[in-house]
Amino acid sequence: MLGIYLNDHLAGATGGVELARRMVQEHRGSAYGPDLENLATEISQDRQTLLRLMASLDVPVRRYKVCGAWVGEKVGRLKPNGRMLRRSGLTAVVELEALRIGVEGKALLWRSLLTAAARDSRLDAGRLQELLDRARRQTDVLDSLHSRATTALLSPDTPVEQGADAGR
C-alpha cells in the first residue's frame, strides 16, 4: 500500500512541478513572478525529496503514473477560458487553485508519513515536520496570490485590463 500511495503522490508532484514551471514562464516579470519562482523551486525540491524517500524505502517508481501525470498537465492546458488564442485572467485563478490543491495533498502526505514515523525508523520525523511546515508556508503564499488574482479579476472597482496579469 505504501508503494501505491507514494507513487500516486509522485504523479501529483510531477503535475504540480509542470504547472508551477509553466506559471513561472507565463508570469515572469509580473507582480506574481517572484512568489511563483520560489514556489516552483520548492515544489520541484519537494518532488526530489519524495523520490529520495521512495528510494530509501525501496519503493520502485511507477513510470506510467509519472508519465500519465505529465501528459495530464499538458492536456489540462486545453480547458476553455472564454478566449480563443490567449489566456484570460481566470486562467491564473484556476491554476493557483490547482496548485493550492496539490500543495494541500502534499501536506497530507507529509503528515501521514510523520504519523507513520513513530513506528518506522526509516522515516525521519524531524525532516517530515520541516516538509509539512514548508507546505503550510506554500499554502499561505498561494492563498495570498489567489486573493490578489481574484481581486484583480472580480473586483468591480478594478477594471480587468488594469488588474495584475488580468490580460494574461
Side-chain angles (χ1 to χ4, degrees):
M1 299 317 288
L2 179 63
I4 294 169
Y5 184 61
L6 294 177
N7 271 286
D8 287 350
H9 275 278
L10 179 60
T14 299
V17 166
E18 290 300 311
L19 176 57
R21 286 178 180 162
R22 183 167 52 81
M23 290 183 74
V24 166
Q25 290 174 338
E26 292 290 333
H27 297 280
R28 192 172 310 265
S30 78
Y32 302 140
D35 285 334
L36 287 172
E37 285 184 42
N38 290 337
L39 281 169
T41 298
E42 288 183 358
I43 290 169
S44 180
Q45 289 169 347
D46 292 344
R47 182 181 180 278
Q48 291 302 315
T49 298
L50 178 55
L51 281 167
R52 285 191 299 276
L53 177 67
M54 290 172 69
S56 73
L57 297 171
D58 293 321
V59 172
V61 171
R62 300 295 179 213
R63 300 235 181 264
Y64 69 91
K65 287 187 178 190
V66 173
C67 292
W70 185 87
V71 169
E73 190 281 328
K74 305 301 183 239
V75 170
R77 297 178 186 190
L78 300 175
K79 65 189 171 300
N81 64 7
R83 304 231 173 114
M84 285 298 281
L85 299 176
R86 61 186 177 112
R87 296 167 52 88
S88 74
L90 186 57
T91 302
V93 170
V94 171
E95 289 175 345
L96 287 167
E97 290 172 357
L99 275 181
R100 172 66 163 74
I101 290 167
V103 169
E104 186 62 30
K106 176 175 58 179
L108 292 169
L109 165 69
W110 301 139
R111 189 167 51 195
S112 296
L113 292 175
L114 187 57
T115 300
R119 296 176 311 282
D120 190 334
S121 63
R122 300 174 302 168
L123 298 170
D124 180 347
R127 179 65 178 137
L128 291 167
Q129 185 62 56
E130 290 172 7
L131 291 164
L132 178 57
D133 292 342
R134 178 153 94 165
R136 289 177 178 151
R137 288 189 304 273
Q138 291 169 355
T139 297
D140 291 343
V141 170
L142 286 164
D143 286 346
S144 174
L145 289 170
H146 185 266
S147 178
R148 289 165 47 200
T150 55
T151 298
L153 181 68
L154 304 175
S155 174
D157 299 333
T158 304
V160 173
E161 294 79 23
Q162 292 178 7
D165 297 326
R168 296 193 125 210

